[in-house]
Coordinates of all heavy atoms in Angstrom, one line a residue:
V573 N 40.0 87.7 44.7 CA 41.0 86.9 45.2 C 41.8 86.2 44.1 O 43.1 86.2 44.1 CB 40.5 85.8 46.2 CG1 41.5 84.7 46.5 CG2 40.2 86.5 47.5
R574 N 41.1 85.5 43.2 CA 41.8 84.7 42.2 C 42.7 85.6 41.3 O 43.8 85.1 41.0 CB 40.7 84.0 41.3 CG 41.3 83.0 40.3 CD 40.2 82.4 39.5 NE 39.7 83.2 38.5 CZ 38.7 82.9 37.6 NH1 38.2 81.7 37.7 NH2 38.3 83.7 36.7
M575 N 42.2 86.8 40.9 CA 43.1 87.6 40.0 C 44.4 87.9 40.7 O 45.4 87.9 40.1 CB 42.3 88.9 39.7 CG 41.2 88.7 38.7 SD 40.5 90.3 38.2 CE 39.1 90.4 39.3
L576 N 44.3 88.2 42.0 CA 45.6 88.6 42.8 C 46.4 87.4 43.1 O 47.7 87.4 43.0 CB 45.2 89.3 44.1 CG 44.6 90.7 43.9 CD1 44.0 91.2 45.2 CD2 45.6 91.7 43.3
M577 N 45.8 86.3 43.4 CA 46.5 85.1 43.8 C 47.4 84.5 42.7 O 48.5 84.1 42.9 CB 45.6 84.0 44.3 CG 44.9 84.3 45.6 SD 46.0 83.9 47.1 CE 45.7 82.1 47.2
V578 N 46.8 84.4 41.5 CA 47.5 83.7 40.4 C 47.8 84.7 39.2 O 48.1 84.3 38.1 CB 46.8 82.5 39.8 CG1 46.7 81.4 40.9 CG2 45.4 82.8 39.3
L579 N 47.8 86.0 39.6 CA 48.2 87.1 38.6 C 47.5 86.9 37.3 O 48.2 86.9 36.2 CB 49.7 87.0 38.5 CG 50.5 87.4 39.7 CD1 52.0 87.4 39.4 CD2 50.2 88.7 40.3
F580 N 46.2 86.8 37.3 CA 45.4 86.9 36.1 C 45.6 85.7 35.1 O 45.3 85.8 33.9 CB 45.7 88.2 35.3 CG 45.3 89.4 36.0 CD1 46.2 90.1 36.8 CD2 44.0 90.0 35.9 CE1 45.9 91.2 37.5 CE2 43.7 91.1 36.6 CZ 44.6 91.7 37.4
R581 N 46.1 84.6 35.6 CA 46.3 83.4 34.7 C 45.0 82.9 34.2 O 45.0 82.4 33.1 CB 47.0 82.3 35.5 CG 48.5 82.3 35.6 CD 49.2 82.2 34.2 NE 48.6 81.2 33.3 CZ 48.9 80.0 33.3 NH1 49.9 79.5 34.1 NH2 48.4 79.2 32.4
R582 N 43.9 83.1 34.9 CA 42.6 82.6 34.4 C 41.8 83.6 33.6 O 40.9 83.3 32.8 CB 41.7 82.2 35.6 CG 42.4 81.3 36.6 CD 42.6 79.9 36.2 NE 43.4 79.1 37.1 CZ 43.0 78.6 38.3 NH1 41.8 78.8 38.7 NH2 43.8 77.9 39.1
E583 N 42.2 84.9 33.7 CA 41.5 86.0 33.0 C 42.0 86.2 31.6 O 41.3 86.8 30.7 CB 41.6 87.3 33.8 CG 40.6 87.3 35.0 CD 41.0 86.4 36.1 OE1 42.2 86.2 36.4 OE2 40.0 85.8 36.8
F584 N 43.3 85.8 31.4 CA 44.0 86.0 30.1 C 44.3 84.7 29.4 O 44.4 83.7 30.1 CB 45.2 86.9 30.2 CG 45.0 88.3 30.6 CD1 44.9 88.7 32.0 CD2 44.8 89.3 29.6 CE1 44.7 90.0 32.3 CE2 44.6 90.6 30.0 CZ 44.6 91.0 31.4
S585 N 44.5 84.7 28.1 CA 45.0 83.6 27.5 C 46.4 83.2 28.0 O 47.0 84.1 28.7 CB 45.1 83.8 25.9 OG 46.2 84.7 25.7
F586 N 46.9 82.0 27.8 CA 48.2 81.6 28.4 C 49.3 82.6 28.0 O 50.0 83.2 28.7 CB 48.6 80.2 27.9 CG 50.0 79.8 28.4 CD1 50.2 79.4 29.7 CD2 51.1 79.9 27.6 CE1 51.4 79.0 30.2 CE2 52.3 79.5 28.0 CZ 52.5 79.0 29.3
C587 N 49.3 82.9 26.7 CA 50.4 83.8 26.1 C 50.2 85.3 26.6 O 51.2 85.9 27.0 CB 50.3 83.8 24.6 SG 51.7 84.6 23.8
D588 N 49.0 85.7 26.7 CA 48.8 87.1 27.2 C 49.1 87.3 28.6 O 49.6 88.3 29.1 CB 47.4 87.5 26.9 CG 47.1 87.9 25.4 OD1 48.1 87.8 24.7 OD2 46.0 88.3 25.1
S589 N 48.9 86.2 29.4 CA 49.2 86.3 30.8 C 50.8 86.4 31.0 O 51.2 87.1 31.9 CB 48.7 85.1 31.6 OG 49.2 83.9 31.2
L590 N 51.5 85.7 30.2 CA 53.0 85.8 30.2 C 53.4 87.2 29.9 O 54.3 87.8 30.5 CB 53.6 84.8 29.3 CG 53.3 83.3 29.4 CD1 54.3 82.5 28.6 CD2 53.3 82.9 30.9
Y591 N 52.8 87.8 28.8 CA 53.1 89.1 28.5 C 52.8 90.1 29.6 O 53.6 91.0 29.9 CB 52.2 89.5 27.2 CG 52.3 91.0 26.9 CD1 53.3 91.5 26.1 CD2 51.3 91.9 27.3 CE1 53.4 92.8 25.7 CE2 51.3 93.2 27.0 CZ 52.4 93.7 26.2 OH 52.4 95.0 25.9
L592 N 51.6 89.9 30.2 CA 51.2 90.8 31.4 C 52.2 90.7 32.5 O 52.6 91.7 33.1 CB 49.8 90.4 31.9 CG 49.2 91.2 33.0 CD1 48.9 92.6 32.4 CD2 48.0 90.5 33.6
W593 N 52.6 89.5 32.8 CA 53.6 89.3 33.9 C 54.9 90.1 33.7 O 55.4 90.8 34.5 CB 53.9 87.8 34.1 CG 52.9 87.0 34.7 CD1 51.6 87.4 35.0 CD2 53.0 85.6 35.2 NE1 50.9 86.3 35.6 CE2 51.7 85.3 35.7 CE3 54.0 84.7 35.1 CZ2 51.5 84.0 36.2 CZ3 53.8 83.4 35.6 CH2 52.5 83.1 36.2
E594 N 55.4 89.9 32.4 CA 56.7 90.6 32.2 C 56.6 92.1 32.2 O 57.5 92.8 32.5 CB 57.4 90.0 30.9 CG 56.6 90.2 29.6 CD 56.9 89.2 28.6 OE1 57.5 88.1 29.0 OE2 56.7 89.4 27.4
M595 N 55.4 92.5 31.7 CA 55.2 94.0 31.8 C 55.1 94.5 33.2 O 55.7 95.5 33.6 CB 53.9 94.3 31.0 CG 53.9 94.1 29.6 SD 55.0 95.2 28.7 CE 54.1 96.7 28.8
M596 N 54.4 93.7 34.1 CA 54.4 94.1 35.5 C 55.7 94.1 36.1 O 56.1 95.1 36.8 CB 53.5 93.0 36.2 CG 52.0 93.1 35.9 SD 51.1 91.6 36.6 CE 51.4 91.8 38.3
W597 N 56.5 93.1 35.9 CA 57.8 93.0 36.5 C 58.8 94.1 36.0 O 59.6 94.6 36.7 CB 58.5 91.6 36.3 CG 57.6 90.5 36.9 CD1 56.7 90.6 37.9 CD2 57.6 89.1 36.4 NE1 56.1 89.3 38.1 CE2 56.6 88.5 37.2 CE3 58.2 88.4 35.4 CZ2 56.3 87.1 37.0 CZ3 57.9 87.1 35.2 CH2 57.0 86.4 36.0
A598 N 58.7 94.4 34.7 CA 59.5 95.4 34.1 C 59.1 96.8 34.7 O 59.9 97.6 35.0 CB 59.4 95.5 32.6
L599 N 57.8 97.0 34.8 CA 57.3 98.3 35.4 C 57.7 98.5 36.8 O 58.0 99.6 37.3 CB 55.8 98.4 35.2 CG 55.3 98.6 33.8 CD1 53.8 98.3 33.7 CD2 55.6 100.0 33.3
E600 N 57.7 97.4 37.6 CA 58.0 97.4 39.0 C 59.5 97.2 39.3 O 59.9 97.2 40.5 CB 57.2 96.4 39.8 CG 55.8 96.6 39.9 CD 55.1 95.6 40.8 OE1 55.3 94.4 40.5 OE2 54.3 96.0 41.7
Y601 N 60.3 97.1 38.3 CA 61.7 96.6 38.5 C 62.5 97.6 39.4 O 62.5 98.8 39.3 CB 62.4 96.5 37.2 CG 63.8 95.8 37.4 CD1 63.9 94.5 37.6 CD2 64.9 96.6 37.4 CE1 65.1 93.9 37.8 CE2 66.2 96.0 37.6 CZ 66.3 94.6 37.8 OH 67.5 94.1 38.0
D602 N 63.2 97.0 40.4 CA 64.1 97.7 41.3 C 65.5 97.1 41.1 O 65.6 95.8 41.3 CB 63.6 97.5 42.8 CG 64.5 98.2 43.8 OD1 65.7 98.5 43.4 OD2 64.0 98.5 44.9
P603 N 66.5 97.8 40.8 CA 67.8 97.3 40.5 C 68.5 96.6 41.7 O 69.4 95.9 41.7 CB 68.7 98.5 40.0 CG 67.9 99.7 40.5 CD 66.5 99.3 40.5
D604 N 67.9 96.9 43.0 CA 68.4 96.2 44.2 C 67.7 94.9 44.5 O 67.9 94.3 45.5 CB 68.2 97.1 45.4 CG 69.3 98.3 45.4 OD1 70.3 98.1 44.8 OD2 69.0 99.3 46.0
L605 N 66.8 94.5 43.6 CA 66.0 93.3 43.8 C 66.8 92.1 44.1 O 66.6 91.3 45.0 CB 65.2 93.0 42.5 CG 64.0 91.9 42.6 CD1 63.0 92.3 43.7 CD2 63.4 91.8 41.3

Side-chain angles (χ1 to χ4, degrees):
V573 163
R574 189 179 73 181
M575 285 188 266
L576 291 168
M577 289 280 278
V578 296
L579 296 182
F580 298 89
R581 274 300 315 274
R582 312 283 173 79
E583 282 68 36
F584 291 89
S585 69
F586 178 79
C587 190
D588 283 359
S589 64
L590 304 193
Y591 171 84
L592 182 71
W593 285 8
E594 62 206 21
M595 292 294 285
M596 290 167 61
W597 301 334
L599 289 165
E600 286 185 311
Y601 188 78
D602 181 338
D604 286 335
L605 191 60

